[in-house]
Amino acid sequence: MNVSALRHPKENLYRMLCIIIGGLIWAALLLGTLFSILVFLIPIAFFLWLSSKFFQASIFGNAVHVNNNQYTSLNTMLTKLPLR
């Protein structure tokens, strides 16, 4: 049986149109999804980076430097501890 004889002459054109339109729809869905992810992830990433910098500033601002000149008793306790 010859399948080509049963096909309509415009069937190849319709198939190509369906492939092109379907590909465009899938590309639009993919790009739309990626764009929406970027719209949400970039502000979240910026907020996390900014909050980590605020945390570092808070830690560095409230930190105490232990040495022989300041907190000598704490320094002697720390120097007596064995190194791990």
Side-chain angles (χ1 to χ4, degrees), residues 33-50:
T33 303
L34 290 176
F35 180 72
S36 65
I37 287 172
L38 286 178
V39 165
F40 290 114
L41 284 183
I42 288 175
I44 291 172
F46 177 73
F47 176 75
L48 289 174
W49 174 78
L50 189 64

Side-chain angles (χ1 to χ4, degrees), residues 35-82:
F35 180 72
S36 65
I37 287 172
L38 286 178
V39 165
F40 290 114
L41 284 183
I42 288 175
I44 291 172
F46 177 73
F47 176 75
L48 289 174
W49 174 78
L50 189 64
S51 63
S52 72
K53 293 300 175 185
F54 278 124
F55 177 71
Q56 285 178 355
S58 173
I59 292 296
F60 291 150
N62 294 325
V64 175
H65 184 67
V66 178
N67 58 16
N68 282 334
N69 298 331
Q70 301 173 355
Y71 301 104
T72 54
S73 61
L74 186 59
N75 187 32
T76 55
M77 282 191 286
L78 288 174
T79 55
K80 289 179 183 178
L81 286 176

Side-chain angles (χ1 to χ4, degrees), residues 1-22:
M1 178 174 195
N2 188 5
V3 179
S4 301
L6 298 175
R7 290 189 176 150
H8 192 273
K10 291 187 176 181
E11 189 173 337
N12 286 333
L13 173 69
Y14 295 149
R15 182 180 55 166
M16 288 309 287
L17 284 174
C18 286
I19 289 172
I20 291 170
I21 292 172

